[in-house]
Amino acid sequence: MSQISNPRIGFVSLGCPKALVDSEQILTRLRAEGYGLVPSYHDADLVIVNTCGFIDEAVTESLEAIGEALNENGKVIVTGCLGSRPDTIRAAHREVLAITGPHAYESVMAAVHQHLPPPADPFISLLPPQGLKLTPRHYAYLKIAEGCNHRCSFCIIPQLRGDLQSYPIGEVLEQASALVAAGTRELLVVSQDTSAYGVDRRYRTGFWGGRPIRSHITELAQALGELDAWVRLHYVYPYPHVDQLIPLMAEGKLLPYLDVPLQHASPRLLKAMRRPANSENTLARIRRWREICPDLTLRSTFIVGFPGETEDDFDELLDFLAEAELDRVGCFTYSPVRGASANALADPVPPEVAGDRQSRLMDLQARISAGRLRRWVGRTIPVLVDEVTEDHAIARGPADAPEIDGIVMVAGGSELPVGEFAEVRITDADEHDLYGELVS
């Protein structure tokens, strides 16, 4: 008797870690209903493209990915942030079957059902308890909220994803527990505004394991710190209560790592961006944080070439970086985003000037980063192994988030198991990475 195969889905996931979690949720639902997941256009009965639409480059990449899927397969459903602009998608690709916005799981499933009905007898047992993940087994993104209450002039996230919507704390902790039970060694906590978690719920008390826990980032962080995994916090807006997280890092309950999106240091520019404008207070807080937790790693991102930015504004940013000595820094030139209020600001900065400022900032930061990394030489640190080669292992320490930060190259680590921890003595450092040897 011939065997009928389940309908097969191809999936393209673009954008940030929050979008990646959306992709994982959709894939989990597809698998739960018995759909097969395949890695090629040729083997798929239908393709889903999860798009990004935050900046022009992301829009272009998303439209190209949709076009490729149409050319190679022909049956395409589009979701994600660019899905909030269906006219843009339809203007380029009229043939798409359906378009939904971000985190619209039910709408995506409805479109799939319409164009590729599910099998009559889904195999729920094929679904792992932690759901399907697009990251390696040993680390996972834990999304704790959707949307954002801020109205930064350069950003359209609230238009794409709405206001802050925190997930129930019990559900977040159950998901985290399932991930750790399945072998996850590092939880990367993400949202658009991680430190605002629970504001929309008025910090309502939830329950986990039969005990009451308030929906607040500090209590969530404390509970996550009880799990047997590294916990790394991303997108932490520097509200005053963030100070309460630093002792948890000093105690080893959280990784000593904060990803704080500061964007600039000029009060005038920050006001135009609609961001907090008190760099002196930020410097004072950084000093206090490092007094409490000397091994704290600070990551941030900055925008140069924002409309109206003068050379004096940029010098103020450089002075701030020189004093703050942040460990990890990303820098982007300002890019107009369709629908952002900053587009109407006067005095645009020429692209060549913005590019020159970006290069100067990153040159300064390279020197700062090299100095900060040298402090690890001679010390022994725990690392999480990501990959092994014939003669070394590629790992990450507490200061290294996957894909965006540096790595630790471990000489003689070719026999280390991927996804497990090891102790490494650091022997050298450069502008981005550490080098070490295995401690027997």
Side-chain angles (χ1 to χ4, degrees):
M1 186 173 78
S2 64
Q3 186 176 16
I4 300 175
S5 64
N6 289 346
R8 298 161 300 181
I9 303 284
F11 205 99
V12 178
S13 183
L14 305 173
C16 66
K18 282 85 71 180
L20 184 73
V21 175
D22 288 345
S23 296
E24 292 171 342
Q25 293 285 344
I26 295 168
L27 289 169
T28 297
R29 295 190 184 202
L30 289 168
R31 199 72 182 102
E33 293 190 7
Y35 288 95
L37 304 174
V38 294
S40 70
Y41 295 120
H42 176 74
D43 294 330
D45 299 308
L46 181 150
V47 176
I48 299 172
V49 181
N50 188 9
T51 60
C52 180
F54 183 49
I55 59 176
D56 290 346
E57 289 84 352
V59 172
T60 299
E61 180 186 20
S62 294
L63 291 175
E64 289 176 350
I66 295 167
E68 180 179 288
L70 284 169
N71 290 335
E72 297 292 332
N73 182 276
K75 298 180 68 176
V76 176
I77 292 171
V78 177
T79 187
C81 286
L82 188 58
S84 300
R85 294 160 53 182
D87 292 346
T88 299
I89 297 171
R90 293 285 184 194
H93 304 295
R94 291 180 298 172
E95 309 96 319
V96 296
L97 300 176
I99 300 171
T100 78
H103 59 89
Y105 311 135
E106 300 301 332
S107 297
V108 174
M109 295 307 298
V112 172
H113 294 160
Q114 178 183 351
H115 297 284
L116 188 66
D121 184 21
F123 294 92
I124 304 300
S125 61
L126 295 177
L127 183 67
Q130 77 277 15
L132 299 183
K133 313 306 294 179
L134 295 175
T135 53
R137 180 173 179 263
H138 57 282
Y139 70 82
Y141 292 100
L142 180 69
K143 185 160 66 168
I144 64 174
E146 294 286 356
C148 183
N149 287 343
H150 294 288
R151 296 297 183 265
C152 301
S153 63
F154 55 83
C155 182
I156 57 170
I157 290 297
Q159 298 175 39
L160 298 176
R161 293 182 169 264
D163 289 336
L164 180 71
Q165 307 155 61
S166 301
Y167 294 148
I169 193 165
E171 293 181 12
V172 172
L173 290 168
E174 286 297 333
Q175 172 69 2
S177 300
L179 288 167
V180 173
T184 297
R185 297 289 181 259
E186 178 180 9
L187 295 170
L188 300 113
V189 180
V190 296
S191 69
Q192 298 298 335
D193 184 0
T194 295
S195 43
Y197 176 76
V199 169
D200 55 309
R201 293 178 167 269
R202 299 185 179 180
Y203 307 121
R204 184 182 312 150
T205 297
F207 291 87
W208 177 54
R211 82 188 215 218
I213 301 182
R214 201 164 58 111
S215 299
H216 191 282
I217 187 58
T218 54
E219 295 195 26
L220 174 61
Q222 286 176 326
L224 290 172
E226 297 173 13
L227 302 176
D228 186 21
W230 279 0
V231 178
R232 190 183 302 275
L233 301 181
H234 285 277
Y235 313 111
V236 179
Y237 205 84
Y239 302 119
H241 65 257
V242 169
D243 294 354
Q244 301 168 20
L245 297 172
I246 309 303
L248 298 178
M249 297 177 183
E251 295 165 12
K253 295 179 180 178
L254 305 175
L255 285 179
Y257 182 101
L258 269 185
D259 176 9
V260 184
L262 297 174
Q263 308 301 357
H264 214 281
S266 162
R268 192 180 67 83
L269 261 291
L270 288 167
K271 183 177 180 180
M273 292 178 175
R274 299 179 188 162
R275 303 282 292 185
N278 194 336
S279 59
E280 290 183 4
N281 183 53
T282 300
L283 288 169
R285 293 178 73 192
I286 288 172
R287 286 191 289 269
R288 288 199 303 272
W289 293 346
R290 285 174 169 160
E291 288 172 1
I292 297 169
C293 184
D295 286 341
L296 177 65
T297 293
L298 290 172
R299 154 170 277 281
S300 192
T301 51
F302 297 91
I303 299 172
V304 296
F306 190 80
E309 183 187 55
T310 65
E311 195 64 25
D312 286 343
D313 293 320
F314 179 65
D315 287 342
E316 194 164 358
L317 174 56
L318 295 182
D319 290 344
F320 172 84
L321 288 172
E323 187 166 355
E325 291 191 323
L326 302 177
D327 301 86
R328 310 288 194 186
V329 165
C331 179
F332 305 92
T333 58
Y334 172 75
S335 173
V337 178
R338 179 180 170 184
S341 61
N343 297 344
L345 294 176
D347 302 321
V349 176
E352 61 274 14
V353 174
D356 176 69
R357 289 173 181 171
Q358 180 187 41
S359 297
R360 289 158 59 193
L361 187 150
M362 293 311 295
D363 286 345
L364 170 62
Q365 180 57 37
R367 296 192 295 273
I368 294 170
S369 176
R372 294 290 295 170
L373 287 173
R374 277 195 295 272
R375 79 189 196 279
W376 296 105
V377 175
R379 296 179 57 180
T380 297
I381 65 170
V383 300
L384 183 58
V385 179
D386 283 336
E387 183 182 346
V388 294
T389 69
E390 291 183 358
D391 56 1
H392 65 268
I394 300 172
R396 293 179 293 105
D400 311 308
E403 300 185 4
I404 58 173
D405 291 327
I407 59 173
V408 181
M409 297 283 286
V410 185
S414 58
E415 301 298 321
L416 289 173
V418 171
E420 297 298 336
F421 292 106
E423 293 291 314
V424 172
R425 188 176 71 86
I426 303 303
T427 58
D428 199 3
D430 59 24
E431 296 173 356
H432 305 290
D433 305 318
L434 297 174
Y435 303 84
E437 57 190 16
L438 192 63
V439 176
S440 58

